[in-house]
Amino acid sequence: MTESTNLTVSRRYLLLATSTVTAVGTAAAAVPFVRSWNPSAKARALGAPIKVDIAKLQPGELLGPVPAWRGQPIFVLHRTEEVIARLNEQNRNLADAYSKKSEQPDYAANSTRSIRPEIGVYVGLCTHLGCSPKYYGEVRPQKFATNWQGGFFCPCHGSRFDLAGRVEKNLPAPTNLPVPPYQFIAETIVLIGDDTQAS
C-alpha cells in the first residue's frame, strides 16, 4: 500500500469513528429530551381519578378525612330521606336553585345535584374566593343563620350553601359548589375525576 492509500484509509476510519460517536451522543441526548415531554408521575397523579370508599359513610355524615382530587378538597356526603325531601321543595332563598349558571355534569342537573339522591359529591371550595366551607349538617339555628336547614358555611366571607351545594341569594359566592365528574364503579366505591360510564 502506498502512503496516500494509508492516509485515505485512516481518514475513513476517523470519519467513521467520528460519525459513530456523534450518532451515539445525539441519541443519548435525545432520549432525556423526548422523555421530558411526558408528564411527571406527580403531574399524572394530580389529574388522575381517585377511588373513594363510602362503605362506612352514615346518613347525615360528611366523609372524613376529606379526599383530594387535583389538589382540591372533595366533599362526599350521605343525605337522609328528610334532607332529600327538603331539597326537592322549592326554595326561594337560593341564587341558582336549578343550577343554570353553575358547574356540574348533565347527570347532576337535578335538585340534589347528584347521580344518587342520597350521595352528594362536590368540590369543597367556595366559588367566591376559593376558601373551604365548613359542614354544618344539623337542622338547628346557627350564629350565621337562625333558620339553618343544614349545609356548608364559608366563615371567610359568609357564603352559605345547602346540602346540594346550592348557594343562597345575596351572598358573595356567585354560583353553586361545582360537581366534579364522577361515577359509581361499585355500590360503595365512587370514582372521582372520570365519568365515562356515568348515566
Side-chain angles (χ1 to χ4, degrees):
M1 263 192 204
T2 65
E3 189 175 322
S4 66
T5 306
N6 284 338
L7 190 56
T8 303
V9 170
S10 295
R11 284 183 184 157
R12 284 185 189 152
Y13 283 129
L14 179 62
L15 286 172
L16 181 61
T18 304
S19 299
T20 303
V21 168
T22 303
V24 169
T26 302
V31 168
F33 177 68
V34 171
R35 202 176 278 159
S36 72
W37 295 346
N38 295 325
S40 67
K42 183 178 179 182
R44 285 193 304 271
L46 282 175
I50 60 167
K51 290 180 185 175
V52 177
D53 187 347
I54 60 168
K56 295 181 181 177
L57 187 62
Q58 296 300 308
E61 289 183 348
L62 180 73
L63 185 67
V66 173
W69 171 67
R70 291 188 172 176
Q72 302 173 320
I74 301 296
F75 292 160
V76 181
L77 65 131
H78 191 162
R79 293 181 281 239
T80 63
E81 290 296 324
E82 294 80 12
V83 166
I84 294 167
R86 213 167 38 246
L87 292 175
N88 286 326
E89 294 171 2
Q90 187 175 14
N91 188 335
R92 297 176 193 274
N93 293 328
L94 299 174
D96 189 15
Y98 301 103
S99 298
K100 303 234 183 247
K101 299 179 289 183
S102 301
E103 182 184 336
Q104 73 272 317
D106 289 343
Y107 50 79
N110 51 52
S111 60
T112 59
R113 300 181 71 230
S114 59
I115 295 172
R116 288 172 26 190
E118 72 278 15
I119 303 296
V121 180
Y122 309 101
V123 174
L125 295 175
C126 179
T127 54
H128 176 225
L129 292 176
C131 305
S132 189
K134 306 294 182 216
Y135 176 66
Y136 292 85
E138 293 182 39
V139 177
R140 63 183 179 90
Q142 302 287 346
K143 291 178 185 176
F144 50 83
T146 54
N147 63 343
W148 184 247
Q149 298 296 303
F152 303 94
F153 172 67
C154 185
C156 302
H157 302 99
S159 293
R160 297 187 296 265
F161 304 85
D162 71 2
L163 288 167
R166 300 177 297 185
V167 69
E168 291 185 17
K169 286 180 182 174
N170 305 316
L171 295 172
T175 56
N176 301 337
L177 296 178
V179 177
Y182 76 98
Q183 61 183 299
F184 288 89
I185 57 174
E187 182 63 23
T188 60
I189 303 292
V190 183
L191 184 65
I192 298 167
D194 182 355
D195 59 1
T196 52
Q197 302 301 317
S199 55

